[in-house]
């Protein structure tokens, strides 16, 4: 009985932490007005956000999962040939060795290669991104990321919507995964119950029950 209660609570705590509230993740809070949150969470702005990204950010950043590469690399005629060979989204090792010169140039200009932003939305969240992109110096004092879009919160939110659309699965895909998750757990519960019934039957037959 105690054992059962103990493992039940342990399981509940486990799922609470991974699904509902990860108490171990850093919880620095950044402000983001509700109206811009709505834009950032809306798939309909992703396309416009991508254009804004191309205009304001692509000089330095890649979004490799979306086959968006820094301008200097985009201008390299080798890119097309490599994409024909490996697919639009180049494998990381191919990308890094083929465009060593361009990446080194970016590193020389900024002290480091501006990070790829494919998964930055998941890593940092919209509130952090909103504040950082609008005012990099305020969030990361001394950073070499210039303030390229300061004073334009709506554009910033649209760019975040684009970055979210790349790093998060679409809402229909998410619904499918949730359904699969529930299906898997239901299957395990049903099998667990069946095995338990079977076990008590065997015990009974052996005269142990
Ligand atoms: C002129 C080059 C340049 C441009 C243009 C630029 N960035 Fe950056 N960005 C950088 C560099 C360099 C860093 C690394 C900063 C650091 O680690 O100090 C960076 C870092 C970042 C980070 C990571 C912050 C973190 O906490 O790790 C994000 C997000 C980002 N940029 C978003 C953007 C967006 C969105 C745009 C367009 C609106 C943009 N950047 C335009 C150079 C640039």
């Amino acid at each position: 009985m105690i054992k059962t209660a103990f493992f039940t609570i342990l399981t509940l705590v486990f799922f609470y932490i991974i699904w509902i509230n990860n108490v171990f993740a850093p919880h620095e809070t950044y402000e983001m007005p509700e109206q811009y949150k709505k834009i950032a969470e809306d798939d309909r702005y992703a396309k416009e956000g991508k254009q804004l990204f191309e205009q304001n950010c692509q000089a330095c950043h890649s979004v490799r999962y979306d086959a968006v590469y820094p301008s200097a690399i985009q201008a390299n005629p080798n890119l097309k040939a490599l994409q024909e060979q490996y697919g639009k989204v180049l494998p990381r090792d191919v990308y890094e060795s083929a465009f060593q010169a361009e990446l080194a140039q970016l590193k020389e200009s900024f002290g480091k290669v501006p990070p790829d932003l494919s998964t930055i939305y998941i890593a940092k969240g919209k509130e952090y991104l909103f504040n950082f992109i609008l005012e990099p110096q305020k969030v990361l004092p001394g950073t070499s990321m210039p303030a390229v879009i300061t004073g334009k919160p709506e554009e910033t939110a649209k760019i975040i919507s684009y970055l979210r659309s790349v790093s998060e699965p679409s809402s229909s895909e998410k619904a499918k995964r949730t359904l699969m998750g529930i299906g898997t757990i239901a299957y395990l519960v049903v099998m667990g119950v069946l095995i338990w019934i079977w076990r008590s039957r065997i015990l009974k037959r052996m005269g142990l029950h």
Side-chain angles (χ1 to χ4, degrees):
M1 186 62 208
I2 289 175
K3 220 159 76 182
T4 313
F6 177 74
F7 282 110
T8 307
I9 290 170
L10 203 66
T11 310
L12 288 178
V13 168
F14 177 77
F15 282 110
Y16 175 77
I17 288 174
I18 63 166
W19 278 347
I20 298 170
N21 180 13
N22 184 349
V23 289
F24 299 109
H27 272 294
E28 212 167 332
T29 46
Y30 290 92
E31 299 282 318
M32 182 171 184
E34 209 50 48
Q35 78 209 83
Y36 300 126
K37 262 189 205 171
K38 279 211 182 95
I39 295 178
E41 283 166 2
D42 193 332
D43 279 334
R44 283 174 302 176
Y45 293 106
K47 207 167 146 207
E48 203 181 323
K50 182 171 180 173
Q51 285 164 0
L52 288 163
F53 185 91
E54 287 164 358
Q55 291 156 16
N56 296 289
C57 322
Q58 202 176 357
C60 303
H61 289 283
S62 56
V63 183
R64 291 191 25 249
Y65 290 7
D66 192 33
V68 167
Y69 302 103
S71 312
I73 291 173
Q74 213 77 51
N76 186 326
N78 290 339
L79 178 63
K80 245 193 142 129
L82 285 169
Q83 283 182 314
E84 268 161 27
Q85 190 178 349
Y86 293 99
K88 266 183 98 75
V89 178
L90 296 176
R92 188 181 177 142
D93 51 344
V94 172
Y95 172 75
E96 284 178 355
S97 63
F99 303 111
Q100 232 166 20
E102 287 86 347
L103 294 170
Q105 182 61 50
L106 281 168
K107 185 167 175 182
E108 203 176 294
S109 307
F110 301 107
K112 68 195 271 190
V113 179
D116 179 73
L117 301 181
S118 300
T119 56
I120 197 88
Y121 181 86
I122 292 180
K124 304 273 172 138
K126 56 182 168 298
E127 293 87 356
Y128 174 89
L129 291 176
F130 184 76
N131 284 273
F132 176 77
I133 297 167
L134 275 174
E135 287 176 282
Q137 287 303 333
K138 222 161 135 187
V139 175
L140 266 186
T143 181
S144 51
M145 155 105 176
V148 284
I149 201 162
T150 303
K152 295 184 183 160
E154 196 174 319
E155 282 85 344
T156 302
K158 287 174 181 169
I159 292 175
I160 296 172
S161 165
Y162 165 60
L163 293 175
R164 187 183 55 77
S165 75
V166 176
S167 62
E168 268 199 342
S170 67
S171 38
S172 66
E173 175 65 23
K174 261 201 210 152
K176 217 160 72 189
R177 289 187 195 181
T178 306
L179 209 67
M180 256 167 70
I182 292 172
T184 310
I185 290 172
Y187 172 80
L188 290 175
V189 169
V190 169
M191 287 312 280
V193 169
L194 286 178
I195 288 173
W196 193 77
I197 293 173
W198 186 54
R199 172 182 170 274
S200 29
R201 275 211 189 157
I202 291 182
L203 287 180
K204 214 186 242 163
R205 226 186 292 159
M206 288 166 77
L208 291 172
H209 227 327

